[in-house]
Amino acid sequence: MANMRTSLVIEGMMCMKSCGTTVQNALKGVPGVIDVQVIYPPGNAIVTHTSAASATDLIDAVEIVGFGAELEGGGSPDGGVELMETGGDYVVLDVEGMMCQKSCGTTVHNVLMSVDGVTKTVVSFPHKSAHVWGSASVAELIDAVEMVGFDAAHHTATPLPPVPSVDPPPKPKPKPKPKVQPAAQKSTTTTSTGPTGVATLSISGMSCASCVRNIEKNVVGQKGVVGMRVALLAEKAEVTLDMSTGVTEEEVVGMITELGYGAKVLQRVADSSGSNKGGQVVNLEVLGMSCASCVGKVEKGLRKLGPEVTSASVNLTTSRAKIVLEEGSTIGARDLVECVKSMNYEVTVVNDDSMPDPDSIEKASMHEVDKWRRLLTLSLLFTVPVVLIHWFGMGGHAGHFFDTPLGCHKTLNLREVLMVVLVTPVQFWVGGHFYRTAYMGARHGNLGMDALIVLGTTAAYAYSMAALFIACADPRHEPHVFFETSAMLITFVSLGKLLESVAKGKTSSALTMLMRLQPQTALLLKPTTSNAYAAAAAAIEGATDAAAKRDAVSDGVGASDGRGRTGSGVAAGPILDLNGFEESEIAIGLVQVGDLVRVLPGARMPADGDIVSGSSYVDESMITGEPLPVPKSTGDAVFGSTINQNGAIVVRAKAVGSDSALSQIVKLVEEAQMTKAPIQDFADRIAGIFTPVVITLASLTFIMWFGLAEASMLPKEWLQAESSTPFLFSLLFAISVVVVACPCALGLATPTAVMVGTGVGATNGILIKGGTALETAHQVTCVCFDKTGTLTTGKPTLTDVVPLDSQSMPIDSVLAFAAAAEANSEHPVGRAVVSAARSRGLSIPHVTAFNAETGLGVEATCVGTAAGAAAGASAGGSAGGGAGGQVEHRLLVGSKKLLLKHGLALDATTDKMMARLEGEGKTTVIVVVGSAVVGLLAVADTPKPESSATVTALRSMGLEVWLITGDNVSTAKAVALELGIEPGNVMASVLPGQKAKKVSELQMRGHKVAMVGDGINDSPALAQADVGIAVGAGTQIAVEAASIVLVRNDLSHVITALDLSKVVFARIKANFVWAIGYNLVLIPIAAGALFPMSHMRLQPAYAGLAMAFSSVSVVLSSLSLKLYARPVIEEDGTIVRETLCCSWCSSIAAKVRGLSGVRYAPLSKDDEGSAYSSKYGVKIRGESKDLVDGLLEDL
C-alpha cells in the first residue's frame, strides 16, 4: 500500500504545548496514519498516511477535538484534492537555510511561483523541501531559490508528494472559533458546551487569599460562569462566561457584590456572534443625532468607507456607534471620526482597549488608601481620649473626677460611661467594615481575617458592656471593663490596613509607570500637494532601501554595533522637505498604520515604526533596559513611547494601539500578575482552614485557663495582680489568640513578590509570564540553546581571508577581486564577501561579464587598475589589456568542482588549509585570478560577542549546557568548541520536533530544562521545556510558546532572567517563612505560654498591632525587590553583581561601562583612592578618562 502525505491548515490553535499536542494525538488516532508533524505558528499539520486514511477522515478527526481544518490550498476533500503519488512535470527540491514556515517558507513559495511554467508549489519547512509542478526546468527552480538567499538541490528520491487533481477553489475564510483559555494559565473552571467569552472585572474589598478563594469558589459554577481568575493585588478578575446561557456581566457583578465585595465591569465580552472575531472594534460617541434618519445616515456613511468595515451599528438612545473592521484593515479610528464629522456630528473615540488607564489603577489604589485614612482618623478621634482616660485618669485630681459615681451607683462612675460613649462609634462605625465583610463571608462559609477581628473586638466590647449592665443591676458589683482594648485593637488594625494599602499600591508602580510612558498626542504630517505625496513615497522607499542595505552591511565583517552600523555615532539621514505637508496635533488613539508623524527632540515616539527622515539618538531603556541611547537614522525601526533625544525625525507608523510593543508588554505583565504560582496553592489551602483552626485554639486557650483558675490550680497572686476574675483572665488570653493570628501575611507572600518581580523584569527588558515561570526558572539545571540566531548572529559573515602569496597578491587584493566576482551574485556567501569588502573601504573592480555556475560558484571578468594588473600578472597573467593602464582579469570564485570544470586543481598545502577551515564549520571558497589560485575565503555564521561569556557563566553556576541545532554536525561541533560546550552535549541535524524530543529526554533524566531560542522554529522545544526563553523578540514580545521573553537580542539576559527568578522565589520563601513563623511564635505567646515564667501577657490591643504589621512587613519585604541589581557578565564569564547605593548610581555605572575602554570589575583596596572607582564601581583606563568626564558633565 503506497504512502501519501497530506498538508492541513489548522484553525483555532493558540499554542503548541496544548493545542498542538491535542491535534497531533487526534490525527495519530486515525487508522492508516503513519506520522504527524504539527507546526505552530502558523498552524499546519503534515500527515504521512496510507490510502486507508482519507483527507476527510483527517479533517473530521481535527474537528472532533474542537479545531477547524482544511486542505492546504483550499478545496473540498471529496473534490479530489487528495495527496497521492504522481508523475509528470513534478520536481522536489531540497531547500537549506529556512528557519521557519511563516516567513522563509512563504518567501521560497512566492519566488518559485514567479518562475515561468510553475503551476503549483508546496513548501515544507519541517522537511526542508519544496514540491513544484509545472514545465519549469530544475536549473531555473534552483536559481530562483538561490536568488532569495537559500540553498537548493534536486532531490530525486522523495516521499510521495501532494498533487492537485483539480484546480483548487479560492481559500475560504477561517471559521470563527470560540476563544480558548491557554492551558498554561491556571484558573478555577468548569466545563462549557457553548461559545465562551472573557470579561474583565474590577473587585474591591479583598484583603487576603481567603477572599480570593471565597470569590472563586462561590462564583464559578453559577449560571453561565465556567471559569474565573482573581488577582488579589491587581484587584481584577477575568471571568469566562458561557454565552449560550445568556448570562451578563452585571449578573456576575451581582454575584460578587452579594459576597460583600465591590465589583464593576472593566471590559465586556466581545460580540458573541463572531462578527468581530479577528477584527478591530471601534466605539464612538456621536452627539447631535435626533432621529432614526440620523442613525441610518451615520451607519450608511461608515459602511461606504469600504468593504473593510464589516459592520456599523448606531444606538440613538446611548449615542454610541460600534464599528467592526476586518483584521489588518487600513481604515482606522481617525478615518471613522473624520467620516462622522463630515456629516456635521460631534464625535469622539470612547474606547482604547490597547492599554489600561494608569489613572484608573492609581485612583483605585488611592480610593482604598483614602478609605482607610478616613477610618483611621475617625478611630483616632475617639480612641485617643479613651486611652488618655484609661492611662492618665487613674489618680490625682483627674482620677477623682473620673471616679465620680453616677447617681446611686457607687461602682458605676463617669469613666465607664465616657468609655462607652467614645468606644461605641469605633466598634460599630469604624469597625462596620469588618462586620459587613465577616457577615457576608460567613453566609457563604468563608471565615477570614475580618471574622477574627470581629470575634476579638466583639468579645472585649460585649464583656465590658455585660459587666456594666450587671453593675447597674447590682450596685455591689464592681465592673471589670476593658473598652480601651476594643478601641485600640480596631485602631491598630486600621493603621495596619492603611500602611498595607499604601504598600500594595506601590507594588504595581512598575506597571503604571510603563502605562504613563505612552504619549497623549502626535504630530501628524499629511501631504497636501502632488509633490508632497511624491516626496513622502520617495522617503518611504528610501527608508526601506536603507534598511535593506544596512542589513546587508551587517552581514559582513567590521566593527558593527549590532544594528548594521559601523563605527561610532549616528549616521546622518536624508531630510524630508516638509513643504506641502500639513502638520496637525492629534490624539494618540487616532494614529493609524501608515501615518507619517513628526517627532521633536525630547518627545516620545507615538507608535512603533520606521524612520523615513532624519537621524537622532533614542532612549530605549523603557523597552530594552539598555541605559545608553541608541543611534538611529533613516530605515531604522523605533519603538513607541521611547524618547527621541536630540534630532527631529519623521516616523512612519507600523504598529499602533494594542499592536505596539509597549501595549504588548503591559498586557503580558498584567497577565503575569493575574496568574498564580504553584506555591500559592499552599497558601490557599492554609487560608481555607486557618480561621477555624485559630478559633478552635482560642477556645481551647480559654477553656484551659478558665478551668485551671476555677480549680484553684493557679496562684491567687496571678489574678490579684491583674485585678481580674477567672473569666476575664482567661478571656483576654483567648482574645489575644484570635486577633494576633494573621492569614493575610500568608496570602500576600506570593502575589506581592510576583507583582514586584515581574515589574522589575519588565523594566529590565525581561518579560516573565507569571508566577509559574518564576517558580520553575529557579529550579533549572540544564540550559539548551538553539544555534542559528540564538548563539550566533544568524547571518553569514566573512571570517577568514587567506592569501596564498601575500607579496604578489595581498589580502585586500584577494578580497577586492572576490568581491568583484560576487558583486552580481545573490548567494548569501557572495553577499557576505561583498559586504566585507565594502566595510573595509576597498575599491571593487568593475565587472564586464558575469556567469553563475549553479551549485559551483561564479565566473566573471573585471577591469582593474595597473597595480591590480601587475598583481594579476604575477599571479597568473591577465586576459587582455585596456586603455589607460586598465587590464581585464578572468575571475573564478567557488568550490573545488568549479576549478575541476575549468581544468584547475589545488596543491596539497592549499587543500589541507581548505580542509582545516571546513573542519571549523566554515563555508570555504577558492579565489582564482587568471589561471592561478590566489587565496581562500571562509564564511560562517559567527557566534554573538556575548555567547562565550554567557555559556561560561552558566557552567560556573553549575548548569549543564546543550547545543541543539538543525545545522550539520561539523558546524555545530565547531561552534560548540568555540563557545566551550562539551562535544557530548551537541545535537545536530535535527528538525523542530526532534528538538522537543531531546528536551523531553533531558527531562526524563531528572533535569529541569530551559530552552533558549528565537521563538519561531523553536516553538515545539520552547513549549516542551520547563522554561521556554525567547531571545531578541523585539516587538514580537508575546511569543506564545515562551514563558520568558527577552526583548533585547542579548544572551547575557538569560542569566539575568534565571538570577531574577532565584531572587524573587527566594523572597517568596522568605515571606512564607516570616508569615508562618510569625503565627507559630506569637499564637503560643498570645495563649500565655510565657506567662507562668514572666507574668507578662500579650495584651489584645498589641496583639492586633502585631497582626497588622505582619502583613505590612510581608509587603515591604516584596517591595525590597525593587532594589534588584542585575548581574554583570565579564568577558571571561565571571559574574559580578552591582552593590551600588541606589538605582541612579547603577544607571551611571551602566553608562560609564558602555564607553569604549571601560571595563567593570570589583573594587580592590588599591582602587579605593580613585574617585571614579569608589563612586561607580568601574576601573577606567587612562585614555578613557576624558570620555567619563564628558559623560558626568552631561549628567
Side-chain angles (χ1 to χ4, degrees), residues 916-1067:
R916 178 181 61 81
L917 291 172
E918 290 178 338
E920 295 173 359
K922 300 174 182 178
T923 300
T924 307
V925 296
I926 307 162
V927 182
V928 176
V929 178
S931 59
V933 178
V934 298
L936 302 176
L937 303 181
V939 174
D941 181 10
T942 57
K944 294 177 181 177
E946 73 278 8
S947 294
S948 179
T950 300
V951 170
T952 302
L954 288 171
R955 295 184 64 184
S956 70
M957 294 166 61
L959 303 179
E960 194 171 309
V961 180
W962 278 76
L963 173 60
I964 307 177
T965 177
D967 213 334
N968 62 72
V969 175
S970 60
T971 301
K973 289 192 174 181
V975 171
L977 180 64
E978 183 176 354
L979 298 181
I981 299 175
E982 295 290 338
N985 289 3
V986 177
M987 187 177 183
S989 301
V990 295
L991 296 174
Q994 293 173 314
K995 291 183 182 181
K997 183 178 179 181
K998 182 59 186 177
V999 170
S1000 178
E1001 291 175 2
L1002 291 171
Q1003 290 170 327
M1004 293 176 65
R1005 286 166 47 185
H1007 282 295
K1008 287 287 185 180
V1009 180
M1011 177 68 198
V1012 185
D1014 58 13
I1016 303 173
N1017 62 320
D1018 299 312
S1019 291
L1022 289 172
Q1024 177 64 42
D1026 298 286
V1027 179
I1029 303 177
V1031 181
T1035 57
Q1036 303 300 317
I1037 56 112
V1039 179
E1040 180 69 35
S1043 48
I1044 297 177
V1045 180
L1046 310 183
V1047 178
R1048 287 183 62 200
N1049 195 7
D1050 187 342
L1051 274 186
S1052 65
H1053 279 206
V1054 173
I1055 294 175
T1056 305
L1058 297 178
D1059 180 72
L1060 178 61
S1061 71
K1062 290 183 178 180
V1063 172
V1064 172
F1065 197 74
R1067 187 54 46 87

Side-chain angles (χ1 to χ4, degrees), residues 389 392-393 397-404 413-416 418:
I389 292 173
F392 301 104
H397 295 292
H400 289 300
F401 173 74
F402 288 116
D403 288 335
T404 302
N413 53 41
L414 183 61
R415 177 185 290 106
E416 280 79 15
L418 285 176

Side-chain angles (χ1 to χ4, degrees), residues 45-237:
I46 299 175
V47 187
T48 303
H49 58 96
T50 66
S51 58
S54 67
T56 302
D57 295 333
L58 302 178
I59 291 174
D60 288 344
V62 175
E63 292 183 339
I64 285 174
V65 294
F67 299 90
E70 60 184 7
L71 291 174
E72 186 172 6
S76 168
D78 299 325
V81 186
E82 184 72 36
L83 306 175
M84 62 186 71
E85 186 171 0
T86 120
D89 298 328
Y90 163 69
V91 174
V92 177
L93 301 180
D94 290 332
V95 182
E96 295 295 334
M98 293 192 296
M99 297 176 64
C100 65
Q101 180 73 37
K102 189 172 185 179
S103 176
C104 302
T106 302
T107 300
V108 175
H109 176 273
N110 291 342
V111 74
L112 287 172
M113 289 300 296
S114 68
V115 177
D116 291 339
V118 173
T119 59
K120 179 177 174 65
T121 300
V122 175
V123 178
S124 171
F125 161 68
H127 296 87
K128 300 285 193 287
S129 64
H131 304 252
V132 187
W133 291 263
S135 58
S137 68
V138 174
E140 289 174 323
L141 299 176
I142 291 176
D143 287 343
V145 174
E146 292 184 339
M147 284 282 286
V148 292
F150 299 93
D151 293 330
H154 187 199
H155 187 88
T156 55
T158 179
L160 303 180
V163 162
S165 59
V166 297
D167 293 333
K171 183 176 179 179
K173 290 185 178 181
K175 293 176 283 186
K177 290 290 175 183
K179 185 172 181 179
V180 181
Q181 185 177 2
Q185 306 302 330
K186 184 178 178 181
S187 64
T188 305
T189 59
T190 62
T191 58
S192 169
T193 58
T196 61
V198 177
T200 304
L201 308 180
S202 171
I203 301 178
S204 60
M206 297 184 295
S207 60
C208 61
S210 179
C211 299
V212 173
R213 182 184 180 91
N214 183 32
I215 293 172
E216 291 180 342
K217 181 179 69 174
N218 288 286
V219 173
V220 175
Q222 294 200 39
K223 173 191 172 184
V225 182
V226 296
M228 189 174 197
R229 293 190 304 164
V230 180
L232 172 63
L233 295 181
E235 295 190 327
K236 290 173 62 176

